[in-house]
């Protein structure tokens, strides 16, 4: 394999999954739970969301070690109806609860047309940006995959601007007095992110409303922590009793031919004339699709040498075999 | 009643409803259908959304007259499952189909926990801004009511700026080449509205993704027209085969005590310190609540004299009793 840039190493996807599994198992995580986490973290890297992938392994390890996340039980159904389920996530790893809930939602959708499952007591790493995810299949493996925070941007983007000492665009964040600012430091030091839409003038109240809607479907329906009661990210001194909501829809319960129409809508969007200076029109999920193709061409995930070194250090500490690079 | 401004007249809510009913019935609308439309238009005015209220009566009248909307039948269930319904709206008036679908969704939610109903062949006046609406009760009549287009703003806001000859904020719209512009004329003449979030820099792709999600739940699931096939507003030469999606959730299927927690979330939001220079923090539905209180204090809806004159003209043309002002 060609490796033109000395700052990067390539890693096989199966090896990345296996590494996460051996690390997690070494601190007492059940094999099936470790596998569920590995699947999600490696998928994040494969899709190009490196901030949500293997680089967060240390946080998950810490939480298992400090017992703010457990691995000695399984999620359980507290209450259910034909189309609904209410699940106790028992503060298990997020991907374990997520897999359980999504499978339950799909099972219910097959019977009732819709499956709506809400969980609490779930451990996920999040910043209270109340994300919305929605995916649908089209034809021949094509799909629509929306996965977005309802904040204007991720805090990480402000941090990157701060490190680069560049100003941030209007509409990303506010200072400690609630005024919109283009100074990253003011956002990071006592300020905050704006909701999608930014200022009132550009309809930021819509992003605020969407964030509250997500809070309602997750924390409020499920009786998880909500609003300012939510544990801060990496605040590992207590369990994260977060709510999450999983919905499965069987399109066959409605008009026949869903995937054909979905493909038609996707094709129409991609076929639009790009804005001047742009080369193509994408749909939600396309940037990730492009990234996955690149990984396939490369023959593996591309990790920075600093990340590899950090993972090697973890391996030594835990006494497991280091991550093998290509 | 005090009427300090000579440009306005006040109208009792029941009289406004009755006026719409007599106008619609005079062109052949079934009494129950006329009542459903009157309820929705007067509620829009009562909530302060005058652009979506009685001032649109002429469009509904035209569509009934030209038979692009019908009133000689009722919506019918094409397919149903325990938790789902697929409804043929038969190109009936939007509020007639909406009432039918929402009642069906609620009935299903009472049985299955969730009711998810998709309709096509529905007549609504819209601009393809793919709105999302979500409402939930809290305590003692308090509630969360989100009702938003997934575009950055409504086209009407650009039109208002154009009439006032002022520039529009960055992030509302683009010109005919797809470039962001602050010139209202460029947006109106061959340009277009931006999705919520505005430019790519401020995450406009999220609003685009949300708009596609709405398209999927409505046009795609229901096999209504979608994308560029959607009839343009006031393009009354063909029926508007639009899809819509109605979801009812029974909170009792999940954790007990929903309304208490909902109130708590609302109180937390309203109790936040306002941004410097602002006097209060509102939640979705509060501006409408404030407006309804004002109407109650005034004793009626406040209509501009030009609107009253236009409605008088309609009354004369249709041979019905004019709208009585207070």
């Amino acid at each position: 394999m060609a490796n033109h840039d000395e700052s990067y190493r390539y890693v096989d996807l199966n090896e990345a999954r296996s590494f996460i599994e051996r690390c997690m198992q070494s601190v007492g995580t059940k094999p099936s739970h470790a596998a569920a986490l590995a699947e999600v973290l490696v998928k994040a890297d494969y899709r190009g969301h490196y901030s949500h992938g293997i680089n967060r392994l240390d946080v998950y390890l810490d939480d298992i070690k400090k017992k703010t996340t457990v691995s000695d039980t399984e999620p359980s159904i507290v209450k259910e109806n034909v189309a609904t389920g209410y699940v106790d996530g028992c503060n298990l790893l997020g991907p374990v609860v997520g897999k359980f809930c999504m499978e339950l939602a799909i099972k219910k959708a097959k019977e009732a047309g819709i499956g709506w499952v809400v969980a609490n007591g779930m451990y996920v790493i999040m910043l209270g940006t109340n994300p919305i995810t929605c995916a649908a299949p089209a034809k021949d493996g094509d799909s629509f995959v929306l996965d977005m925070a309802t904040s204007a941007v991720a805090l990480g983007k402000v941090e990157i601007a701060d490190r680069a000492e560049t100003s941030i665009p209007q509409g990303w964040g506010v200072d400690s007095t609630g005024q919109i600012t283009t100074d990253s430091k003011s956002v990071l030091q006592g300020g905050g992110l704006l909701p999608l839409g930014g200022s009132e003038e550009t309809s930021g109240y819509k992003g605020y409303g969407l964030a509250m809607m997500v809070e309602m479907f997750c924390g409020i329906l499920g009786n998880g922590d909500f609003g300012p009661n939510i544990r801060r990210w990496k605040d590992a001194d207590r369990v994260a009793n977060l709510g999450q909501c999983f919905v499965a829809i069987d399109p066959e319960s409605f008009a026949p031919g869903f995937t054909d129409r979905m493909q038609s809508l996707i094709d129409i969007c991609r076929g639009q004339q790009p804005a001047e200076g742009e080369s193509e029109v994408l749909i939600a999920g396309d940037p990730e699709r492009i990234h996955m193709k690149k990984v396939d061409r490369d023959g593996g995930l591309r990790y920075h040498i600093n990340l590899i070194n950090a993972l090697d250090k973890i391996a030594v500490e835990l006494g497991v075999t280091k991550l093998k690079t290509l």
Side-chain angles (χ1 to χ4, degrees), chain A residues 95-107:
Chain A
V96 174
V97 186
K99 192 161 177 277
F100 181 88
C101 291
M102 204 65 232
E103 282 170 1
L104 182 61
I106 291 167
K107 182 170 158 277

Side-chain angles (χ1 to χ4, degrees), chain A residues 52-299:
Chain A
H52 289 61
I54 203 168
N55 86 314
R56 286 193 173 170
L57 177 59
D58 60 332
V59 183
Y60 288 98
L61 287 165
D62 268 6
D63 269 293
I64 287 280
K65 283 192 257 177
K66 289 178 180 157
K67 304 214 186 296
T68 43
T69 304
V70 301
S71 186
D72 55 356
T73 182
E74 296 294 334
S76 64
I77 300 172
V78 178
K79 194 194 277 190
E80 62 183 320
N81 197 334
V82 194
T84 61
Y86 176 41
V87 168
D88 182 358
C90 304
N91 289 300
L92 289 154
L93 287 162
V96 174
V97 186
K99 192 161 177 277
F100 181 88
C101 291
M102 204 65 232
E103 282 170 1
L104 182 61
I106 291 167
K107 182 170 158 277
K108 297 207 168 268
K110 281 184 181 162
E111 291 162 14
I114 296 284
W116 190 295
V117 175
V118 176
N120 73 6
M122 178 152 176
Y123 173 74
V124 286
I125 293 182
M126 61 181 282
L127 287 157
T129 53
N130 292 16
I132 294 174
T133 299
C134 176
K139 281 162 72 179
D140 306 323
D142 205 355
S143 58
F144 167 79
V145 183
L146 178 68
D147 186 358
M148 54 171 270
T150 51
S151 55
V153 291
L155 193 66
K157 286 200 176 181
V158 180
E159 290 169 345
I160 288 166
D162 191 52
R163 263 181 244 124
E165 296 185 350
T166 58
S167 66
I168 55 170
Q170 286 272 352
W172 282 18
V174 293
D175 64 21
S176 61
T177 70
Q179 298 300 308
I180 290 177
T181 179
T182 57
D183 175 38
S184 54
K185 287 218 184 326
S186 302
V187 174
L188 297 171
Q189 294 164 5
L193 294 173
L194 273 165
L196 178 61
S199 69
E200 180 168 355
E201 190 177 67
T202 48
S203 307
Y205 47 85
K206 293 184 181 181
Y208 165 41
L210 287 171
M212 249 182 108
M213 183 179 81
V214 173
E215 195 82 63
M216 188 174 83
F217 287 158
C218 300
I220 305 291
L221 267 185
N223 195 17
D225 288 345
F226 57 87
N229 304 321
I230 284 180
R231 189 187 82 149
R232 294 186 80 86
W233 186 40
K234 294 186 177 177
D235 181 5
D237 61 343
R238 63 184 176 101
V239 298
N241 178 28
L242 295 176
Q244 286 229 358
C245 176
F246 303 83
V247 180
I249 304 166
D250 176 15
E252 292 306 310
S253 291
F254 305 98
F258 177 86
T259 51
D260 287 351
R261 285 191 302 281
M262 197 65 212
Q263 191 62 52
S264 170
L265 175 65
I266 288 172
D267 292 344
I268 287 166
C269 290
R270 288 199 189 117
Q272 294 297 301
Q273 198 188 336
E276 220 166 79
E278 299 291 335
S279 59
E280 54 186 343
V281 177
L282 303 177
I283 65 149
D286 279 348
E288 291 80 6
R289 213 180 316 272
I290 292 165
H291 189 271
M292 287 186 281
K293 278 187 193 150
K294 187 190 169 299
V295 173
D296 292 345
R297 275 196 313 274
D298 288 349

